Amino acid sequence: MSTVGQILYTHPEDPEGVGAKITACVEACGECAQVCTVCADACLGEETVADLVACVRTDLDCADMCAVTGRAVSRRTGEEDDVLRLLLEACAEACRKCAEECERHAGEHEHCRLCAEACRRCEQACRELLAAL
Amino acid sequence: MSTVGQILYTHPEDPEGVGAKITACVEACGECAQVCTVCADACLGEETVADLVACVRTDLDCADMCAVTGRAVSRRTGEEDDVLRLLLEACAEACRKCAEECERHAGEHEHCRLCAEACRRCEQACRELLAAL
Amino acid sequence: MSTVGQILYTHPEDPEGVGAKITACVEACGECAQVCTVCADACLGEETVADLVACVRTDLDCADMCAVTGRAVSRRTGEEDDVLRLLLEACAEACRKCAEECERHAGEHEHCRLCAEACRRCEQACRELLAAL
Amino acid sequence: MSTVGQILYTHPEDPEGVGAKITACVEACGECAQVCTVCADACLGEETVADLVACVRTDLDCADMCAVTGRAVSRRTGEEDDVLRLLLEACAEACRKCAEECERHAGEHEHCRLCAEACRRCEQACRELLAAL
């Protein structure tokens, strides 16, 4: 088990049976935030950067969204309310949109191919947590 | 006009008539993120911190949410899509929830009173931008 | 007085006579983070984006650095230690570097001119707080 | 190899022989940011929260610092300059300080024990990248 999974397991407040899905979501958000940050910078380093502006922007939005979603999911502020649900929906949409944009460049840029895959994994993790809440 | 309002006005891509509401939302999110960060830390500094745990958590969630919403709203990634709409709804809900929690302590703690007010302003700014999109 | 200044003033732990400089630093960091985020996106929207890649990157670095510095300065974690000092130095350097990069494009792009000014103000606020710690 | 390691490897600008250390630092920062976020919230959930205020604050500082350091290290803004060096020093210090605070509670709270370990790993990764720059 990862350190993140382990520490979530030690939390004094029981996450009501959604612990495994919380862990999966926090980890997927962390990976996706990092990968989108690298993809944005890699796009900026390409000679064809002018064709990749939309990709940089969706990468930056998705990185920010995943970072904040991972943080909010990590907290026991109260799963019952609407904030986490809306945030997870927004994050899943940001991941879907970024995946679609990156997939358009996946043939030319390996970083876009890897980023699209990370976004799809994170979208799925967010939707699975949403379904479990 | 604030510097943020000025620089948003110089953006090469026209924000389609919602410029003033974008500026108001970015500024309200910036203020609310700062104020919630201070309120969380001020709650941690109170002798009665054990009674303020929910307040610390909603402050931290609200600070994160406002920070990322302000960033996303600042970008011309594309207003037409669902991501910004969902994020603004999530942020407005986080602000509403944090305002309600802080209002419970507003009589005892001036930082909670000020924080509740900033949250209400930010909730309104998010909802007004949502209505204009 | 701004809301941020007011709420910092209500904090139960006295900031040891550096309250005004803390407020100035938190506000300058908040403004600079917002302005750099807009400048990065505005650069991405320019036809000459390929010539502005360094500016986008320094904007993004500076925005991140100012955001986290504003948060850390807002907390009473303990001013005596080295973390805040090193962070303020790093933030001041990020602001200086971003100002220098933006100043190179200030004649062509009004957003770079405004951003350079916000960076200079934030650099100064960080250095003044450093001197007062 | 992790996805983060893979995508950093595909970046069009060669990271000048420090690629493996960059990957290690980005991954350690990501893990530490997540673990500190959980530890802060777990401390808030303990009945003895009043004794853990310093731990919550160092956790929050460390989480923020690691998040922004991971982002800045991911970008090819220019390794030659002082910003990254100062930021890595600040992050290593934040990790060291958080580790020391968490170690004081490691016997009672498993989340503090795990957090201290993640902080030590991240401190080391930052210092190794610093030595390689």
Side-chain angles (χ1 to χ4, degrees):
Chain A
M1 199 193 285
S2 71
T3 307
V4 174
Q6 286 177 58
I7 195 168
L8 281 164
Y9 187 78
T10 69
H11 197 292
E13 288 156 278
D14 194 288
E16 296 159 19
V18 293
K21 286 193 172 58
I22 285 177
T23 300
C25 185
V26 169
E27 290 183 337
C29 284
E31 180 192 70
C32 196
Q34 289 180 330
V35 167
C36 285
T37 301
V38 176
C39 190
D41 195 73
C43 287
L44 288 170
E46 299 288 353
E47 286 180 19
T48 55
V49 58
D51 301 328
L52 295 166
V53 165
C55 200
V56 174
R57 282 169 167 165
T58 53
D59 280 337
L60 293 175
D61 276 353
C62 194
D64 280 350
M65 206 81 103
C66 289
V68 80
T69 303
R71 281 172 172 245
V73 169
S74 298
R75 293 189 196 110
R76 293 287 85 74
T77 311
E79 282 88 6
E80 79 289 351
D81 68 84
D82 291 340
V83 180
L84 199 60
R85 187 170 292 275
L86 286 163
L87 181 58
L88 283 166
E89 283 175 21
C91 190
E93 275 300 289
C95 289
R96 187 191 58 72
K97 192 182 166 193
C98 192
E100 284 178 5
E101 181 61 37
C102 277
E103 280 159 8
R104 297 177 54 208
H105 317 288
E108 295 145 272
H109 302 302
E110 183 68 3
H111 51 81
C112 287
R113 191 185 67 75
L114 290 164
C115 190
E117 287 182 2
C119 289
R120 290 294 182 194
R121 281 194 293 276
C122 192
E123 180 192 1
Q124 191 179 348
C126 289
R127 296 207 192 281
E128 285 179 8
L129 181 54
L130 260 173
L133 286 181
Chain B
M1 199 191 286
S2 71
T3 307
V4 173
Q6 285 178 59
I7 194 168
L8 282 164
Y9 187 77
T10 69
H11 197 292
E13 290 156 275
D14 193 288
E16 296 159 18
V18 292
K21 287 195 170 57
I22 285 177
T23 299
C25 185
V26 169
E27 290 182 337
C29 283
E31 181 192 69
C32 195
Q34 289 179 331
V35 168
C36 285
T37 300
V38 176
C39 189
D41 195 72
C43 287
L44 287 170
E46 298 289 353
E47 286 180 20
T48 55
V49 59
D51 302 328
L52 294 167
V53 165
C55 200
V56 174
R57 283 169 164 164
T58 53
D59 280 337
L60 293 176
D61 276 353
C62 195
D64 281 349
M65 206 80 103
C66 290
V68 79
T69 302
R71 280 173 172 242
V73 169
S74 298
R75 292 190 196 109
R76 292 287 85 72
T77 312
E79 283 89 5
E80 80 288 352
D81 68 84
D82 291 339
V83 180
L84 198 60
R85 186 170 293 277
L86 286 163
L87 181 59
L88 283 165
E89 284 175 20
C91 190
E93 274 301 287
C95 290
R96 186 191 58 72
K97 192 182 165 193
C98 192
E100 286 178 6
E101 181 61 38
C102 277
E103 280 159 8
R104 298 177 51 208
H105 317 289
E108 294 145 274
H109 303 302
E110 182 70 1
H111 49 82
C112 288
R113 192 186 66 75
L114 290 164
C115 189
E117 288 181 2
C119 289
R120 292 292 183 197
R121 283 194 292 275
C122 193
E123 180 193 359
Q124 192 178 347
C126 288
R127 295 207 193 281
E128 286 178 7
L129 181 54
L130 260 173
L133 286 182
Chain C
M1 197 191 289
S2 71
T3 307
V4 174
Q6 285 177 60
I7 194 168
L8 281 164
Y9 187 77
T10 69
H11 196 293
E13 289 156 277
D14 195 287
E16 295 158 18
V18 292
K21 287 193 171 58
I22 285 177
T23 300
C25 185
V26 169
E27 291 182 336
C29 283
E31 180 192 71
C32 196
Q34 289 179 331
V35 168
C36 284
T37 300
V38 177
C39 190
D41 195 73
C43 286
L44 287 170
E46 298 289 353
E47 287 180 19
T48 56
V49 58
D51 301 328
L52 295 167
V53 165
C55 201
V56 174
R57 283 170 166 165
T58 53
D59 280 336
L60 294 176
D61 276 354
C62 195
D64 280 349
M65 205 81 103
C66 289
V68 79
T69 302
R71 281 171 171 245
V73 169
S74 298
R75 292 190 196 110
R76 293 287 85 72
T77 312
E79 282 88 5
E80 79 289 351
D81 69 83
D82 291 339
V83 180
L84 198 61
R85 186 170 293 276
L86 285 164
L87 182 59
L88 283 166
E89 284 176 21
C91 190
E93 275 301 288
C95 290
R96 187 191 57 73
K97 193 181 163 194
C98 191
E100 284 179 7
E101 182 60 37
C102 278
E103 281 160 7
R104 296 178 54 209
H105 317 288
E108 294 146 273
H109 302 302
E110 184 69 1
H111 51 82
C112 288
R113 191 186 67 75
L114 290 164
C115 189
E117 287 181 3
C119 289
R120 291 295 182 195
R121 282 193 293 275
C122 192
E123 181 193 0
Q124 192 179 346
C126 289
R127 295 206 193 282
E128 285 178 7
L129 180 54
L130 260 173
L133 285 181
Chain D
M1 198 192 287
S2 71
T3 307
V4 173
Q6 285 177 58
I7 195 169
L8 281 164
Y9 187 78
T10 69
H11 196 293
E13 289 157 276
D14 193 290
E16 296 159 20
V18 294
K21 287 194 171 58
I22 285 177
T23 300
C25 185
V26 170
E27 290 183 336
C29 283
E31 181 192 70
C32 196
Q34 289 179 330
V35 168
C36 286
T37 300
V38 176
C39 190
D41 195 73
C43 287
L44 287 170
E46 299 288 353
E47 286 180 19
T48 55
V49 58
D51 301 328
L52 294 167
V53 165
C55 201
V56 174
R57 283 168 165 166
T58 53
D59 280 337
L60 294 176
D61 276 353
C62 195
D64 280 350
M65 205 80 103
C66 289
V68 80
T69 302
R71 281 172 171 242
V73 169
S74 297
R75 293 190 196 111
R76 293 286 85 72
T77 313
E79 283 88 5
E80 79 288 353
D81 68 84
D82 290 341
V83 180
L84 198 60
R85 186 170 293 277
L86 286 163
L87 181 59
L88 283 166
E89 283 176 20
C91 189
E93 275 300 287
C95 289
R96 186 190 59 70
K97 193 183 166 194
C98 191
E100 285 179 5
E101 182 61 37
C102 277
E103 279 159 9
R104 297 178 53 210
H105 318 287
E108 294 146 273
H109 302 303
E110 183 68 2
H111 50 81
C112 288
R113 192 186 65 75
L114 290 164
C115 189
E117 288 181 3
C119 289
R120 291 294 183 194
R121 282 194 293 276
C122 192
E123 180 193 0
Q124 191 179 347
C126 289
R127 295 207 192 281
E128 286 179 7
L129 181 54
L130 260 174
L133 286 181

